[in-house]
Amino acid sequence: MALCAGDAAQRSRLGAHGLCHGRAGLLLLLRRMAADQDGHGPVRLADQIPLLREELLESTHKGQASHGLLEGTIGTALALAPRPFEAGGALGDACLAI
């Protein structure tokens, strides 16, 4: 995961911003995996989060046609939220389960 998230060529293959197959989904998944990693391992997943978050913000400003959860602005907003896994993590985890 760290190699994919840290590779600009791999990230450029994500065509959308959405949760389903886009940068928002990668960010949400990466944040959850980083929280579970708790700083252990040869590569800290958390180190990849700021760059991916910035790229998501930049691509979001280019416009999204949909306002839905999976492919639109709502999903992007969830991924960019400061703490999508608080309060038991139900909201963020439910989106990952979709």
Side-chain angles (χ1 to χ4, degrees):
M1 181 60 142
L3 293 175
C4 175
D7 184 346
Q10 292 290 327
R11 289 190 317 272
S12 71
R13 297 181 72 164
L14 297 170
H17 340 18
L19 281 176
C20 195
H21 296 101
R23 294 177 193 280
L26 179 60
L27 177 60
L28 198 61
L29 185 60
L30 186 65
R31 289 174 70 181
R32 183 48 142 171
M33 290 175 74
D36 286 346
Q37 186 184 31
D38 195 27
H40 301 294
V43 178
R44 290 189 61 237
L45 294 173
D47 293 343
Q48 306 298 327
I49 293 172
L51 176 62
L52 188 57
R53 187 176 193 286
E54 190 62 35
E55 286 180 356
L56 179 58
L57 282 169
E58 286 176 19
S59 67
T60 300
H61 285 53
K62 293 178 183 172
Q64 282 177 291
S66 170
H67 296 291
L69 174 65
L70 292 181
E71 294 296 336
T73 55
I74 295 172
T76 300
L78 174 66
L80 291 170
R83 296 177 184 96
F85 298 110
E86 280 194 358
L91 182 57
D93 285 344
C95 288
L96 290 176
I98 292 174

